[in-house]
Amino acid sequence: MSATRTPRRIGVLGGTFDPVHIGHLRGALEVAETLGLDEVRLVPNFRPPHRETPNSSAQDRLAMVRLAVQDLPPLTVDARELERDKPSYTLDTLVSVRDEVAQDDQIFLIVGWDAFCGLPGWHRWEELLQHCHILVMQRPDADSEAPEALRDLLAARSVTDPLTLAGSNGQIAFVWQAPLEVSATRIRQFLASGRSVRFLVPDAVLAYINAHGLYRASN
C-alpha cells in the first residue's frame, strides 16, 4: 500500500531586495507560519518593469539574500529571474515554477498591499491566478481601498480565511502582519549619510554591505 502524497505549499516573494531587510524576512516568516508553508522562495528581480533600476548589482543583491536566509528555514532563494537577463515579469516566473512542481502543489504569490493595488499595471496580470493563489500582506494601518479594476476580482476570488484556500490556484486571501516601518529606500539613505543600519538588516547582510562599500554616497 503506497503512502498518499501530501501536496507541497510554496510561497513566492519577489522584490529587488536592494538590500534585503528585516521587513522582507519577517513578513515572509509570518506568512509561512500562518499558512504552514513548506517553503517561501525569495526571488530577486533582475530589472523590475515598474521600478527604477536597482542601486546594487544583481550579483550583490543575490549574495545578500542568500546570506539573509542561510539559517532561516523555510526561507530559500530562487535566482531564476536574475538568470534571464531581461525584465522580470512575475507571470513568467510563476509559469516556470508551476512547470517544475506537481500539478496539485499549491503556489502562493506573496505581495504587499501597495503592490497588490498596482496589479492592473503588471504584465498580463489577469492570468496570474491561473498559476497561483495570491496572498496579500496587509498591515493593520493599510486602510486604503483597492482600485476599481480589482474590485470585481476581489468579489469573485477572495476568501476570508487564508487557511481555507483550496486547490492549486485561483483565489486571493489577506494575511495581517505586524507593522514594521522598514524600507530599502530608507536603509540606502542611512548608509549614504553614514548612519547605522544595525538591526534593520541581518548582521551577515550588513557585513557584506560594509565589505563591498555598497550604498555609500560615492556610489
Side-chain angles (χ1 to χ4, degrees), residues 134-188:
I134 295 178
L135 294 174
V136 185
M137 295 187 293
Q138 190 173 25
R139 303 185 309 271
D141 59 344
D143 57 0
S144 58
E145 291 188 6
E148 186 175 352
L150 291 176
R151 290 175 194 164
D152 289 344
L153 182 68
L154 282 170
R157 299 296 190 97
S158 63
V159 300
T160 303
D161 183 354
L163 295 177
T164 64
L165 289 168
S168 59
N169 61 279
Q171 295 176 302
I172 302 168
F174 292 83
V175 181
W176 295 96
Q177 63 173 144
L180 280 175
E181 294 301 323
V182 182
S183 74
T185 299
R186 181 174 295 182
I187 289 170
R188 293 194 301 268

Side-chain angles (χ1 to χ4, degrees), residues 46-60:
F46 174 68
R47 195 164 62 241
H50 305 296
R51 300 183 64 176
E52 295 180 358
T53 301
N55 287 258
S56 56
S57 70
Q59 178 183 0
D60 285 330

